Amino acid sequence: MTFARPEHSIDTDTLPRMPAWVTSARPEAFEDVAFLSGAALNHLHLVLGREEVPKALLRDRLALRAAEACVGFSGRPERAPELRDAIHLLRHGDLPGPAGGTYLAWRRAVERPVSIKALGRALPILELGQIATWLDTGKGAPVTRAAMALDAVLTEAPRAEVPALILADAALAQALGWDHVVPLLAAGLKRTDLRKRGDDLRLACHRAVTASAVEAARLAVDLARRASLLKGVAPKLRAKEAGAAVKIFLTQDAVAPSALPLPDRAARRLCDRLVDLGAVRELTGRDTFRLYGV
């Protein structure tokens, strides 16, 4: 696998930046809050349209943030490092546990284009007909549709926060014409927001979308820069299947050496080489059972 030379020098400074008036405003009136969420989503839409943004990697990292928020809602102590371990160090045949299951649901939700079947894969406890009904609940503008879907699920199943938030983000993605779920709501909502209904919940969703869209756009710019660096060092890698390994790093938040298409020792050497080149980071701080990511 090779990368064209022009890709090595992508200028991420050309990516659009979120306007300061979106990030600094603190509106109280509903129409002002709604206006800001629309502006933030429009900006994120422009960023997601740029070729240099590694969209699969961005979605996977946002899925981790969403899962961390959902685990927090349930009162569990696991955070990002534990969630990564629960999935990426999982042995064949083992179960990921409740927190790991939440993370796995979010990862599956963002992996494939939005569809009832793909959402059913992420949420196997739900019937496809029920998913379709909840997904089609919302009417109107994108955030309103997402809030109505969230409201419908939590009204019928108050403890189903994870399915509710995944389906709400799916409704938002469909309303915006996005091919994939982009996790935004969970990381921006508070636990108390999930007990709200009607207009109060809609207002909370507008605020959540604004905050999360701002952070997602910032993350997209950072990942575009890091991805450009990784592509730039790819020709220096001599290991067989190094190109396929680089592709994995460009699509996943964290990677265990055992997940790479190389023998174990060669995979660990490749990861260490990429760290030395500044192209990836070791994420755990451990001497063993390490994970790496862009």
Side-chain angles (χ1 to χ4, degrees), residues 12 15 54 61 217-227 281 294:
T12 55
L15 288 169
R61 191 148 293 174
R218 288 174 180 167
L219 180 59
V221 172
D222 181 58
L223 291 179
R225 178 181 59 81
R226 293 178 180 275
R281 298 168 293 161
V294 172

Side-chain angles (χ1 to χ4, degrees), residues 151-233:
D151 196 333
V153 179
L154 292 177
T155 297
E156 292 189 40
R159 296 185 179 181
E161 290 98 346
V162 175
L165 288 162
I166 288 177
L167 293 180
D169 271 326
L172 182 66
Q174 286 189 328
L176 291 166
W178 293 348
D179 292 335
H180 291 75
V181 171
V182 178
L184 295 177
L185 285 166
L189 289 169
K190 300 176 182 177
R191 188 175 186 178
T192 54
D193 291 331
L194 299 180
R195 295 196 288 269
K196 297 176 180 178
R197 294 293 179 268
D199 289 344
D200 290 339
L201 179 59
R202 192 151 54 101
L203 180 62
C205 286
H206 277 295
R207 294 189 188 279
V209 163
T210 302
S212 292
V214 168
E215 289 304 312
R218 288 174 180 167
L219 180 59
V221 172
D222 181 58
L223 291 179
R225 178 181 59 81
R226 293 178 180 275
S228 176
L229 178 59
L230 177 57
K231 292 177 183 179
V233 305

Side-chain angles (χ1 to χ4, degrees), residues 59 107-115 117-118 121 179-181:
R59 293 194 303 269
R107 293 195 76 211
R108 287 177 172 173
V110 304
E111 282 177 346
R112 301 182 181 185
V114 182
S115 69
K117 184 176 180 180
R121 178 174 174 268
D179 292 335
H180 291 75
V181 171

Side-chain angles (χ1 to χ4, degrees), residues 10-157:
I10 289 174
D11 183 5
T12 55
D13 288 338
T14 64
L15 288 169
R17 296 299 197 272
M18 188 74 71
W21 55 266
V22 174
T23 58
S24 62
R26 297 292 183 270
E28 295 297 331
F30 185 93
E31 58 269 24
D32 293 333
V33 176
F35 175 78
L36 282 183
S37 72
L41 283 172
N42 181 68
H43 177 84
L44 180 59
H45 182 80
L46 294 175
V47 171
L48 293 176
R50 296 294 291 266
E51 184 178 355
E52 56 265 51
V53 174
K55 287 175 272 293
L57 174 57
L58 174 64
R59 293 194 303 269
D60 202 39
R61 191 148 293 174
L62 291 174
L64 175 63
R65 293 185 177 185
E68 189 177 32
C70 289
V71 169
F73 293 153
S74 67
R76 298 190 62 87
E78 292 90 344
R79 292 299 177 262
E82 292 81 16
L83 294 176
R84 283 174 171 147
D85 284 354
I87 295 301
H88 296 290
L89 301 181
L90 190 68
R91 295 180 178 180
H92 180 71
D94 288 348
L95 297 176
T102 294
Y103 183 25
L104 185 60
W106 277 105
R107 293 195 76 211
R108 287 177 172 173
V110 304
E111 282 177 346
R112 301 182 181 185
V114 182
S115 69
I116 301 301
K117 184 176 180 180
L119 292 169
R121 178 174 174 268
L123 302 168
I125 61 173
L126 299 181
E127 296 182 358
L128 296 184
Q130 183 63 79
I131 291 175
T133 298
W134 278 332
L135 199 60
D136 291 339
T137 297
K139 306 295 180 184
V143 177
T144 297
R145 288 176 60 176
M148 291 178 70
L150 182 62
D151 196 333
V153 179
L154 292 177
T155 297
E156 292 189 40

